[in-house]
């Protein structure tokens, strides 16, 4: 089992009341905890009062973090109470700084998940919350916390509860895909995502080439690309490839494992497979 973290921010049109209605609709919230809130049942109103107190009702209204827990085959499952406790540990990061937070645990999908709503205005100082994607706080222009630090904290919570970190789960997933004759992809390719951008088409065409056991040389590989309408637009000295199809370009890194080393591995694998088959027929 692993925990996946998504951090979103709201625009000025989003309302706390709308977020509360969504989170608690049809009894989907099986657990709820609040931090720095005087009236837990009316947490959205309490957060709005904080904004009005400091005259900061415009702009970003809140941050919304989704912490989801994907069950993996053969792994221990967790109940709603366990998952909720993990969400509360993440919420403490903001609560300790004076921000108001609500944690709602949902069971309305295949995987248990937490929703954390963090008020954009500090209840003690009136400071507007900033979560930054910058590499360090020194260059983030007054951010309270970095996204990468949230991911790191989420990994620490995973380890504490015996879950795999996101990187560990990705590595296992990639190995399973390689074993199945697929190249690991860098994005979730579910039915909705595959409906259907040029990058998805390019990725799928490359996957088809990697499944072709008849590709055993550089010429075979280039012919297969040509048949799919794909060209190599650029290859760096370190082997990073940019592919082009239909006038659109994408780096191999953004598509999955399709760089020069991956091409070499494909050719070597297919050559070895051919030799094994030949030896089998010669007996």
């Amino acid at each position: 089992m692993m925990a996946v973290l998504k951090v979103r921010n709201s625009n000025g049109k989003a309302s706390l009341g709308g977020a509360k209605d969504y989170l608690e609709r049809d009894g989907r919230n099986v657990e709820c905890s609040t931090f720095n809130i005087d009236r837990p049942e009316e947490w959205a109103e309490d957060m709005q009062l904080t904004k009005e107190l400091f005259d900061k009702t415009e702009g970003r209204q809140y941050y919304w973090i989704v912490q989801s827990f994907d069950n993996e085959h053969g792994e221990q499952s967790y109940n709603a109470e366990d998952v909720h406790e993990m969400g509360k540990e993440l919420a403490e990061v903001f609560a300790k700084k004076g921000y108001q937070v609500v944690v709602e645990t949902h069971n309305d999908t295949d995987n248990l998940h937490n929703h954390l709503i963090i008020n954009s205005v500090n209840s003690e100082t009136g400071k507007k919350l900033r979560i930054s994607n910058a590499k360090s706080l020194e260059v983030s222009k007054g951010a309270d916390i970095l996204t990468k630090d949230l991911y790191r904290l989420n990994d620490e919570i995973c380890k504490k509860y015996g879950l795999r970190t996101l990187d560990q789960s990705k590595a296992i997933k990639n190995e399973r895909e390689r074993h199945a004759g697929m190249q690991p992809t860098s994005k979730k390719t579910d039915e909705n995502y595959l409906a259907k951008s040029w990058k998805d088409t390019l990725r799928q065409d490359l996957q088809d080439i990697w499944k072709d056991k008849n590709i055993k040389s550089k010429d075979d590989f280039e012919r297969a690309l040509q048949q799919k309408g794909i060209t190599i637009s650029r290859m760096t000295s370190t082997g990073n490839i940019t592919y082009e199809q239909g006038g659109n370009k994408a780096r191999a890194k953004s598509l999955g494992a399709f760089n020069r080393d991956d091409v070499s591995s494909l050719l070597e694998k297919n050559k070895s497979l051919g030799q094994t088959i030949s030896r089998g027929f010669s007996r």
Side-chain angles (χ1 to χ4, degrees):
M1 187 171 177
M2 68 173 179
V4 179
L5 201 67
K6 296 179 182 178
V7 181
R8 309 167 182 168
N9 60 60
S10 67
N11 57 35
K13 297 179 180 179
S15 72
L16 287 160
K20 187 175 189 296
D21 288 343
Y22 169 79
L23 292 176
E24 298 178 356
R25 185 186 305 155
D26 300 325
R28 66 178 72 182
N29 58 325
V30 293
E31 298 282 344
C32 178
S33 293
T34 60
F35 298 80
N36 300 325
I37 297 287
D38 293 329
R39 299 175 298 160
E41 295 295 323
E42 305 296 336
W43 58 262
E45 291 184 13
D46 263 23
M47 289 185 180
Q48 187 62 35
L49 286 173
T50 296
K51 296 180 189 298
E52 294 172 2
L53 175 65
F54 290 99
D55 194 23
K56 292 186 177 179
T57 58
E58 303 298 322
R60 181 181 292 115
Q61 298 297 296
Y62 53 83
Y63 280 90
W64 190 327
I65 296 177
V66 181
Q67 185 188 34
S68 58
F69 298 84
D70 291 339
N71 284 314
E72 297 173 324
H73 181 70
E75 296 296 320
Q76 179 180 353
S77 295
Y78 287 78
N79 57 35
E81 291 79 11
D82 293 327
V83 167
H84 191 69
E85 285 301 316
M86 295 182 224
K88 287 168 64 176
E89 290 198 26
L90 193 62
E92 285 282 0
V93 164
F94 301 97
K96 288 177 180 178
K97 294 177 180 288
Y99 290 98
Q100 296 167 305
V101 190
V102 61
V103 181
E104 304 261 15
T105 301
H106 283 188
N107 65 353
D108 58 337
T109 66
D110 291 338
N111 301 314
L112 288 165
H113 55 282
N114 293 318
H115 293 269
L116 283 71
I117 301 292
I118 306 109
N119 196 1
S120 60
V121 179
N122 192 294
S123 63
E124 298 172 358
T125 67
K127 182 183 184 298
K128 289 292 287 280
L129 174 63
R130 274 199 67 223
I131 300 176
S132 173
N133 292 323
K135 293 183 178 180
S136 69
L137 288 173
E138 287 73 18
V139 298
S140 63
K141 298 180 180 179
D144 293 86
I145 192 168
L146 302 178
T147 305
K148 68 174 185 178
D149 289 334
L150 284 177
Y151 291 140
R152 176 185 53 77
L153 175 60
N154 194 58
D155 280 350
E156 290 175 1
I157 294 171
C158 285
K159 292 176 182 177
K160 177 179 176 180
Y161 284 85
L163 278 66
R164 291 196 184 103
T165 65
L166 184 56
D167 285 343
Q168 289 170 334
S169 293
K170 280 183 177 179
I172 292 172
K173 173 179 173 289
N174 289 349
E175 185 57 34
R176 287 174 179 167
E177 289 183 346
R178 288 185 190 278
H179 186 71
M182 299 173 60
Q183 288 302 97
T185 52
S186 61
K187 278 197 171 184
K188 184 178 180 181
T189 53
D190 57 25
E191 187 175 350
N192 292 329
Y193 185 76
L194 290 173
K196 181 127 187 177
S197 75
W198 63 265
K199 187 173 283 189
D200 299 310
T201 300
L202 176 55
R203 179 189 289 110
Q204 187 57 57
D205 285 343
L206 289 170
Q207 286 284 16
D208 291 342
I209 291 172
W210 253 259
K211 293 176 184 177
D212 189 344
K213 296 180 175 59
N214 295 314
I215 298 175
K216 301 175 183 177
S217 68
K218 179 182 176 182
D219 289 342
D220 290 340
F221 181 69
E222 290 177 348
R223 277 194 294 270
L225 290 177
Q226 187 176 16
Q227 289 172 1
K228 297 284 188 180
I230 302 171
T231 59
I232 293 178
S233 173
R234 182 171 180 263
M235 184 187 297
T236 68
S237 59
T238 56
N240 295 315
I241 297 175
T242 298
Y243 292 97
E244 182 173 357
Q245 185 182 47
N248 297 306
K249 298 180 181 181
R251 290 182 296 175
K253 182 180 179 181
S254 71
L255 299 168
F258 302 106
N259 276 312
R260 184 175 63 192
D261 289 346
D262 302 303
V263 176
S264 298
S265 297
L266 169 70
L267 302 183
E268 287 301 319
K269 181 186 71 174
N270 287 344
K271 286 178 185 177
S272 299
L273 181 62
Q275 292 168 359
T276 301
I277 293 174
S278 297
R279 287 196 296 271
F281 278 118
S282 66
R283 290 176 183 173

